[in-house]
Structure formats: structure tokens, C-alpha cells
Amino acid sequence: MPYTFKKSLELFARAARVIPQGIPGHLTPVITVPGSYPYFAAKAKGCRFWDVDGNEFIDYMCGYGPMILGYAHEKVDEAYRKQARLGSCTSIATNLSVDLAEEITKTIDCADWVMFAKNGADATSMAVMLARGFTKRDKIVLAEEGYHGTQPWAGTNPVGITPTDRADILMVPWGDVNAFCEVMARHKGQVAGVMFTPYHHPVFADQRLPGPSYWPEMRRICDEHGIVLIIDDVRAGWRLDLRGSGHYFGIRPDLACYSKAMANGYAISALVGSERLRITASKAYFAGSFWCNAPEMAAAMACLEEMKAIDAPKVVKELGETLMKGLGERAAAHGLKVSITGPPAIPFMKFANETNFMRSQLFCGECASRGVFFHPHHNWFLSTAHTPQDIAQTLDAADEGFRVVKEKFGG
Ligand SMILES: Cc1ncc(COP(=O)(O)O)c(C=O)c1O
């Protein structure tokens, strides 16, 4: 029996009166077919969540990445609760900041030191500051369609952003070494750093993995020009390799940014760096009222311990491979062409002949109405709480989704 979303829609009508956009930012439902998607969650456990209408979903967004071990994970939540009982936002730092920093420097291979914050955007902004502080230069190279947060320099939306905010940002296509070299030549001696994601995960498009020579080439060019190489590993970090996605793709960055899956849903981020950036990092001033909160750090310690114990990247990779293969086979059986791209742990599927995402929206809406939560134009995430049975159930729902797409669009 397909789901209905009456309470979600009623709540959205109330939300629209008191919250601009109703649900702003990346959780906005404007990307979905109205009435075919849940808007508000009531609870979540393992790889599933339940919406306010009581519908149950297998979740392939995992909170847009943070949930890697499953929602309401006993060990991580207990570590958080235990520490919270001892105080949360204390007036001085706790031993946990040292314990966690030591643990991260032992885990991520490019990390000689760690600075903590709350959001991924804090870490990427700190990285930009450090690159500029270290080189005494202004310009930062970013990739077109890359995402590093909503801060003005990252420029995701024109509203409220002035040309000055972006004056020192240079854009190149991700993965295009020649374009990068051209920009470096044109702005010789002015570029402080380059910030790229370890592989390309744009919205509305196929994901792209680097070829074997890409990162070594990038490293060589950065060294030649004396610029800081920053990997924004906020989205992919911990899912591909616990030593960092840089390690996974064979590159040692100068700075790398982490958040999302670091504490299985608790708000914490980290900027890690190499020895040569240490003095600049110790001179710069970064702070936030909540950045030293111990409960989130306790959650991160527990999450790291668990991810290591169960080899989380291996688990999510294998699950993702089953999902990707199954989706490809089911689509083909309906005579539909899909492209399934990215690392298996963070896959994305779109219809190959899609120009306006109507097929993807219909497909995801049909899956949502059958208990599977996909996103039509943002990459998906696997967690270690998904099981082969969940994937099998997902593929059955997807099969129906493909059938409806075929009926409506013919191919
Ligand atoms: C690659 C990347 N960098 C930075 C960010 C910003 O992180 P946050 O939303 O925690 O500020 C995100 C968030 O999706 C991201 O995917």
C-alpha cells in the first residue's frame, strides 16, 4: 500500500508561516514531487527512519552523510550521554580534546595536528585562512560545482554575497590539470591554496573519480608553485578509508577537512594539517563557543573506535557494490539506461538520458512511497547498519520505481 504524507504536508504549511522556506537549505523538499515524499521525521534507528505520518523508510541519505554506524547507535550515544552528564560546554578544555586529537593523528595519515570545530564549513574556512596565512597570498582555487559550505567565499548562492567576498576565488573544472596549470600561470605568485574534494561529487551530475595520475600531478604542481593543497574530505571522509580519502587516492595533502561521519551524527569537525603548517595554525585565531564541547568529542572517540573495530569502510563498500549492481540490473530489465557513479559507499544514480531530472524525481518519489529514501540529484550514502536484506528490499521497491518511470516516459 503506497504511503501518504498528510501530516508532513500539514506541518509544512505551518512551517512555511514561521520559517522562511519552511524547510531551508539542503533538507528542502522543493526537489521532490509534492506529496510523494516525507518532509518531517519522527524517529530513526539503524538504517531506518519513521516520518510524522508513521511511514517507515530505509534511508540512503544517512543525514547527508553523518550517520555511518546507524541512527541511535548504542555505543556512540552512550559515550555522548555519559560525557554530557559530566557537563557540556565547560569553561576550560577537557582531556577529551587531547585524547581525540591524539587518536586522529594516529588514524589519518596526513594529520600531524588537529583543530576542532563544529561544522564542515568551519573546517574549510579555517583551511582557507591557514593557506593565506602560511603563503601570505590571497587567491584560492576551487572547483566548479564543488561544495565547501554556505559561507560567502564558498559562494553557493548569490543572495547577500558581494563581488568582494569572491574576489580572490578562482574557479577551474575539477580534474582538469591543464586548466589548473593555466590559472597558476596567469596568477603566478598570488595563489595561496587549492581546495578540492578528493573525488568530484557535484549535485545534478555524475560523480567522477580521479585517474591514477591526477593527485600526484596536483601535488607536484602545488609544490612547484609553493601553494597549500587542501582536501575537503567533509563528505567522503571516514567512508572510503579511515586513514583519509587522501590516502585512499594516493595523495598527501597539506590540510584536510573532516566532519559528517566523524561522530555518527553529533556536531563536530576537524581541520588536520601537516607539520609545515603547524606554526601558522598556532598563530591563527579560530574559536567558537561550542567548539570544545566534550560530549561530541566523546561521541567521536566512540565512533572512531567502532569504525575501526568493524572496518566500516569495507562494510559500506560491499553494501554499496550490491546496491549499485542491483540497481543497474533492475533498470536494464525495464529497458532503462542509468548511470551509477562514485565510490560504492557514496553512490549516485541518474537516468542516462535525463535532461531535467523528471525521471529521477518520479523514481525517488515512487521509491519513497514504497519505503526507500533516495535523493533525486544528490549523492547517496551507505551505513554499516544497512544489511543485505535491506538492500534486497530496496531493489524490490526500485523495481517498481523503474516500472513507473518506464510507463510514464517510455525510456
Ligand atoms: C565536501 C563538503 N564540504 C563542506 C561541507 C559543509 O559542511 P557543513 O554543512 O557541516 O558546514 C559539506 C556539506 O555537505 C560538504 O559536502
Side-chain angles (χ1 to χ4, degrees):
M1 178 69 185
Y3 291 177
T4 56
F5 301 102
K6 188 168 171 289
K7 285 192 183 153
S8 263
L9 289 166
E10 284 166 3
L11 207 49
F12 190 75
R14 280 172 54 202
R17 285 195 282 273
V18 286
I19 303 170
Q21 302 174 32
I23 304 171
H26 62 299
L27 302 185
T28 178
V30 298
I31 38 80
T32 61
V33 180
S36 69
Y37 233 61
Y39 295 173
F40 294 94
K43 62 174 184 175
K45 178 74 189 160
C47 71
R48 290 165 190 253
F49 75 86
W50 288 259
D51 70 3
V52 287
D53 286 277
N55 303 312
E56 180 177 340
F57 302 90
I58 303 173
D59 185 5
Y60 289 94
M61 292 313 291
C62 297
Y64 285 70
M67 188 280 274
I68 186 165
L69 299 175
Y71 292 114
H73 188 271
E74 243 349 283
K75 271 194 214 159
V76 178
D77 287 6
E78 186 44 33
Y80 180 93
R81 284 192 296 261
K82 194 169 157 214
Q83 189 61 39
R85 285 195 288 271
L86 301 173
S88 178
C89 188
T90 47
S91 303
I92 57 172
T94 69
N95 61 300
L96 271 159
S97 54
V98 186
D99 296 343
L100 182 57
E102 282 176 352
E103 195 54 37
I104 290 176
T105 54
K106 274 189 237 152
T107 307
I108 293 181
D109 69 352
C110 66
D112 292 322
W113 52 261
V114 187
M115 313 277 302
F116 293 112
K118 285 283 119 200
N119 278 92
D122 300 330
T124 55
S125 296
M126 291 198 290
V128 166
M129 276 173 71
L130 286 197
R132 288 174 169 159
F134 180 72
T135 57
K136 311 268 187 304
R137 301 173 189 166
D138 297 342
K139 299 207 182 293
I140 299 289
V141 180
L142 303 178
E144 288 161 10
E145 302 152 349
Y147 184 74
H148 306 289
T150 57
Q151 55 282 47
W153 63 261
T156 38
N157 183 307
V159 178
I161 294 181
T162 68
T164 325
D165 289 325
R166 301 264 300 158
D168 287 314
I169 301 297
L170 305 167
M171 306 298 289
V172 296
W174 191 96
D176 187 338
V177 174
N178 291 338
F180 182 60
C181 286
E182 271 169 36
V183 162
M184 294 309 299
R186 221 175 317 129
H187 299 275
K188 209 170 171 44
Q190 299 171 357
V191 177
V194 53
M195 180 185 290
F196 286 169
T197 52
Y199 75 96
H200 196 36
H201 43 62
V203 282
F204 290 109
D206 290 336
Q207 303 191 85
R208 279 172 43 214
L209 300 175
S213 64
Y214 175 66
W215 278 118
E217 262 295 88
M218 285 295 297
R219 179 73 269 178
R220 189 189 59 70
I221 301 162
C222 288
D223 291 343
E224 193 181 302
H225 290 268
I227 74 169
V228 176
L229 173 53
I230 308 161
I231 288 201
D232 177 355
D233 210 4
V234 167
R235 190 175 309 180
W238 318 106
R239 266 193 175 76
L240 303 186
D241 194 312
L242 296 179
R243 291 162 292 189
S245 304
H247 181 91
Y248 184 81
F249 290 118
I251 172 73
R252 202 180 167 93
D254 300 304
L255 296 171
C257 309
Y258 289 91
S259 185
K260 295 232 185 235
M262 187 169 162
N264 201 48
Y266 290 101
I268 186 165
S269 62
L271 173 68
V272 309
S274 65
E275 201 51 54
R276 72 191 188 109
L277 273 293
R278 186 191 291 270
I279 292 182
T280 311
S282 57
K283 285 184 185 161
Y285 186 70
F286 309 119
S289 301
F290 305 107
W291 288 10
C292 266
N293 280 16
E296 290 87 327
M297 292 185 174
M301 286 291 278
C303 184
L304 272 174
E305 194 185 322
E306 184 68 4
M307 287 192 291
K308 283 181 185 175
I310 62 173
D311 195 353
K314 181 167 183 281
V315 177
V316 289
K317 177 174 181 281
E318 286 171 5
L319 289 163
E321 280 167 351
T322 313
L323 177 69
M324 287 170 103
K325 183 167 174 285
L327 285 173
E329 286 167 0
R330 304 281 176 131
H334 287 277
L336 293 167
K337 286 200 175 70
V338 293
S339 61
I340 306 171
T341 55
I346 313 173
F348 180 54
M349 186 198 84
K350 64 190 258 305
F351 291 85
N353 51 344
E354 188 90 281
T355 51
N356 52 17
F357 280 81
M358 300 291 277
R359 288 172 183 79
S360 292
Q361 289 186 1
L362 180 64
F363 172 77
C364 292
E366 290 299 318
C367 288
S369 294
R370 293 170 176 82
V372 173
F373 192 78
F374 287 136
H375 195 294
H377 58 73
H378 185 292
N379 66 254
W380 311 336
F381 299 88
L382 270 296
S383 81
T384 62
H386 288 88
T387 64
Q389 292 73 31
D390 294 317
I391 309 272
Q393 190 181 331
T394 299
L395 293 176
D396 287 345
D399 204 49
E400 284 297 292
F402 288 131
R403 184 184 58 74
V404 176
V405 170
K406 177 78 180 176
E407 254 172 41
K408 172 128 192 209
F409 292 95

